[in-house]
Every structure is written in structure tokens, then in C-alpha cells.
Amino acid sequence: MKMFSVAHKTVFVVDHCPYMAESSRQQVECDVLTKSRAQGVIPLAPVSKSLWTCAVECSMEYCRILFDVYPKDKLVNYIVSDSEFHILNTWRREDQSTHELMSALAAVGPPNPREDPECCSILHGLVAAVEALCKITELQHEKRTALMDTAERVANRGRIICLTNAKSDTHVRMLEDCIQETISEQNKLAAGSDRLMAIQQCDLVLVHIYPQGEETLVSDRPKKEISPLLTSEVHSVRAGRHLASKLNILVQQHFDLASTTITNIPMKEEQHANTSANYDVELLHHRDAHIEFFKSGDLHMAGTSTRENGVKETMTLKWCTPRTNSIELHYCTGAYRISPTDVNSRPSSCLTNFLLNGRSVLLEQPRKSGSKVISHMLSSHGGEIFLHVLNSNRSTLEDPPSISEGCGGRVTDYRITDFGEFMRDNRLTPVAESSHDPSGKLPVERAKGQLERYTRYWPMIISQTTIFNMQAVVPLANLIVKELLTEEDLLTCQKTIYNLVDMERKSDPLPISTVGSRGKGPKRDEQYRIMWNELETLVKTHAGATDRHQRVLDCIIACRSKPPEEEERKKRGRKREDREDRTEKNGSKEAEDKSWQESERLKGLLEKEDQESEVIKDSPDSPEPLIKKPRLISEDVQPPERAKGPATLLSMWTNRITVANSRKHQEFFGRASSVNSKFELYQHLKEENGIDTHENGKAAR
């Protein structure tokens, strides 16, 4: 593997010819900060930047982001071209800063519109850019010195970004031909010199800048290979904010950067000191900070958003109220330098100062429901701000998974036996140099291909799979991973599928895992639906290999589409299972009620016996209290009928309290001899007056 990619060297060539002094026609208001204007005062007229100013500002923003994220190993050489070329810096590390470049640009000054256009050309700068790519950087020299025997491993690649105002597509092709010829000439010179290196790859990015309101004469073109050493792409962009957005996208593509937007940042308002508002700040960093999202596929949960050009540009993370200092340790899996997209904005400045003062900010994924997941943290180290990736999954430090019986771990049902067979099937052995594959593939490439096919779908845990726990599916699972299927293999796979259909018709049980589920688990139809879905997933991963693989998938799809009479039979089977479940539940409820009543009756008897055994005396002269025998079951009071259906917790508790209270006292005479819960008072007065009482409590003459 050769060292140093194309991103190691970047040469900016900015056109300084007279036509770059033309206005971009994008107006900038200068009077927007004036709150009140006295009468008679003429407002300031808006101004517009030149094409040269737009090119310099956007290219310097490109360099600022590059220097923030890669302060050491990514280098920039800046060249200005008019009647001759002007090299503003070198590949040395001390020249790699925006301060050096801005000082050099100030010395160059703006383009002179009165200069003769015929004497100026962008070709001077492009030729100088190719010569600069042939020069050895300090990092390349260190690697070549350390690898004297294998110095050829140190590659020399680079990228040229040209900002100009081209005349037409023909003019662009002429520039490409000039660069190709220059590369060939410089490579010949480098072959006989120890101070130069031949260019092995050069990427040309030509950005055509034209004013607002004009039609472009240069068409966009994606990356195209001009020669084995040169590739070229063309971007036609309007000056102003469009050019800034385009270079922001290019710097992300060239250096594997990604964007993260921090939302809901609380900040004090300048106008109202007692109020605060929420702001957003966009940060650029290495793409690996989002690698966990790409692995898990949770990009939609992390809040990705797109912009006008349709490129997925930013990922949203929410601000968490900082309750941590930098002294606290977090389990981080990576740390990446960041660079604000709009470095001069007030929210970016406040966030940067807040972090540089030693504070840390936790960031969470925006979720509509469920608990919040803190996935990142912003913190500074040595004056540089880093985006830390926090481990939101199970930590390998605190709870390692258990492979065999023993202490630690929550996962114990790994497919250990199947993994042993997997290793046996993919074991590497030495091969003779003479025995090569007729197709021309090296043995190591064939081994990698086989390993990739075997691992396209391979669940690691027993409870996460059904088909790999079934002996009936083993023939198909072993054959479908093959690179080529014979006709006999196809028949075996189809026979396996038909056997599964027959098992479903007979309603044979499947080895469905019930870990973590309550009750009997899923219904029989649901079990087979899970099995068919998993089998289809396995076969789909290999369906594109050959036509026979596709025929296996077609067979599964055909068998899954059941006829109407089969569906009716399945419905009847489901109804019968539901009736059996209801009968089983009712029987268990009745048994629970009987056992509850019996236990309450025995408990009441034991409590009463304990009370009778105690003799309570207030004083030595007080008589012993009368011994009252409990009335266990009254003939008059009938036990309430149990309501149909399962008894509720309230009714069971009420019955218990009623039975317990009835045993603690002697029932009132009136309540015991009442009729329909009614008892007539003052009966002796009616008897004295000669009035008879009726047995139902009503008076009768």
C-alpha cells in the first residue's frame, strides 16, 4: 500500500487577470445596522464584491477548515497567476497558516483592470502548480529516508484547484491538455533528480466563476480520466454565496469531512440581558465521528438534513445542559478536531469561547420517543476543540459478553458450535504457486470472496435466528452460500422449501426462542411467518449471484403465496387455539379463587384461637370477660354469589374484610332477624295497642 494520498498536497491557483476585477453583482447592504436615521441623511449605497474578492474569501475559508481539522499532514500551496505566477507560500510546515496566506495576498493586491488582458493567462499558474507538486515535502522526505530499501512505496499524488473565469468548454479542454503535457515534462525531469518526485496522480478541479445574472458559457462535468496520471472535473458556479457553498462541499469531499449541527444552544440576548434564545452552530470534522450511525443505520434517528443541492450535508445533535467538567472521564471511542462552518458568527464565537474556557458539552441524539441517548461530547485539549464519540452501546470494560458458562455478561446463547463449523469451512491453507484458478483470481481473493458470502447473513446469537436452529433448513443454508449452484443443488434447495411447506401444513412446532417474552410465545402462524421472513432474507442476499440462486428465491416467494382455502384453514386453526387459551385461563382463575377462600378461612380460625388463648384483665378484681364463640357461617346470611367471569382484586379484598369483621363481634339482633334487610322498630308499642305485626315487617289491622 503506497503512502500519501491525493489529499496530502493541494495547490490553489487563483486567476489574477483584469477580468477578475469585474463585479460579482451580489449586493452587500452596508446600512443594515443603523436603527434610526435622522431626516435628510442619505442612506449608504450597497456595494458588491469583485470576482477576485469572492475567489480569495472562499479559497481562504477552504484553507481555514483544512488547517483546523488537519494541522500537520495536509498541505496547501497558494499560487496567483496574471502575467506571471506568484507563489505565496511553500510546503514547509511554518508556512501552513491562514495568517501567512492573508499577509501574502495583501501584498499582491487586487487585479488591475487597466492591465493588458493579452499578457495575462491562468496557464502561468497551472504550470507552476505542476512544478510545485513535483517538489518533495518534509513528510515525504522523512518517509523516503526511513524506507531506503522500499522508497518506491512513498507515492507522490496531489490536487490542483483552479479558480478562474473560463471563456468556453474549448478553453477548459485547452487548459487540461496544457497540464497533461506539463506533467509529462516534469516527470522526465524528476526521473533524473533526487530533489524532485514524479507525479503518479493529479486531480484537477476547475471552478468557473461568473457574475450574478449572467449565463454561464462553461458546462459542469463530473470527474473524468484524461490520462492515467490526470483526472479532471469542472464546476460552473455563480460568485458570492453559491461559490462559498460549493467550496464548502468540495472540502468535505476532498478530505472525508462530515457536518454536525448543534441545536438548542442557549445564549443570552444582547438586547435583553434577562432572556435567552436557542441557536444552531454547524461544525465540520472527520467523517469517522459518524461511523456508529452508519454502522447501526440510525441516520434518520440522528436527524440528518439535506440542502438545496440534495447532498446529505449535516447531522443534528441536541445540546445537553452542561453538568460536567473536563476532569470527569467518559468512555470515548474517538476524538476528532472540529472547525465551525461560519467562524465569524456570534453563536460560533460564543460556543468556541465556552469550550476553550475548560467546559465540556454533552450532545444527544434527537428522538421523538424513548430515553435520550448521549452519543457525543465537545471538549477542548491544549487550545484545540475536539468532538468526542461516546460509546452508547454496551461497554466492553464493564460487562463483557460471556462465551461459555461462567461469571459476567448478559449474552450467553452464542452459536458456538455453528461458529466452529464456520471457521472449519473457511480455514486457510497454503497453496502451490502453480495451482492457480483459471479465472485469474488469486487464492487470497477467492478466500476473501468466500468469507464475504458466508457472512452476508450470519446471526451470532441463537435467540436471534430460527432457520439456523432447524435441521430441515441445513441443506439450503449450506448450498445457498456457494458461488455457483449446480442443477442438483437447485433441486435440493427446492426440496427443502417444499419440506418446510409440508411442516407448516402439519403445524409442526418450530424452535422459536421465548427469551424475554411472557406467556407461551407467538402463535403457530406467527412462528412460521418469522421463519419464512428470515429464510427469504438469507436467500435474497445471494439471489444476484447466478440465475439458479434467483430461482431458489422465486420458489420461496411462490410457496409463501397461499391459496384461499389454505387461508381459511389457517383462520379456523387460529380460532380453535384462541378457545383453548380462554378455557385454560378460566380454569386457572377458578382454582385461584378456591385456594384464596380456603386460605382465608384457615387464617381466620387461627387468629381467633390465638385471641381465645389470651386472658385480658384490667385489674385484679375485674371479672374475666365472657368467652364469645365466633359465628363461622350464618344460616340467614347467605354468601354473595360470585360474579360471572374472573374476580377482581377489589371484590376479593372486600370479601376478605367482610368475613374477618363478621367473626370479631356478635351480630345485632335486629340485623340477624331482619326481613329483606329491614327491621320494624317499637314493636312492643304496637302490641300494647292491639296492632299485630306482619311477618314481613308491615303493620296489619
Side-chain angles (χ1 to χ4, degrees), residues 608-621:
K608 200 63 179 178
E609 289 176 1
D610 293 341
Q611 294 176 3
E612 292 174 357
S613 62
E614 296 180 359
V615 178
I616 304 174
K617 296 183 179 181
D618 295 337
S619 66
D621 298 332

Side-chain angles (χ1 to χ4, degrees), residues 620-641:
D621 298 332
S622 63
E624 294 183 359
L626 296 176
I627 299 176
K628 298 180 180 181
K629 295 183 178 180
R631 178 171 59 85
L632 299 179
I633 300 177
S634 176
E635 297 177 355
D636 298 332
V637 182
Q638 299 294 332
E641 295 184 0

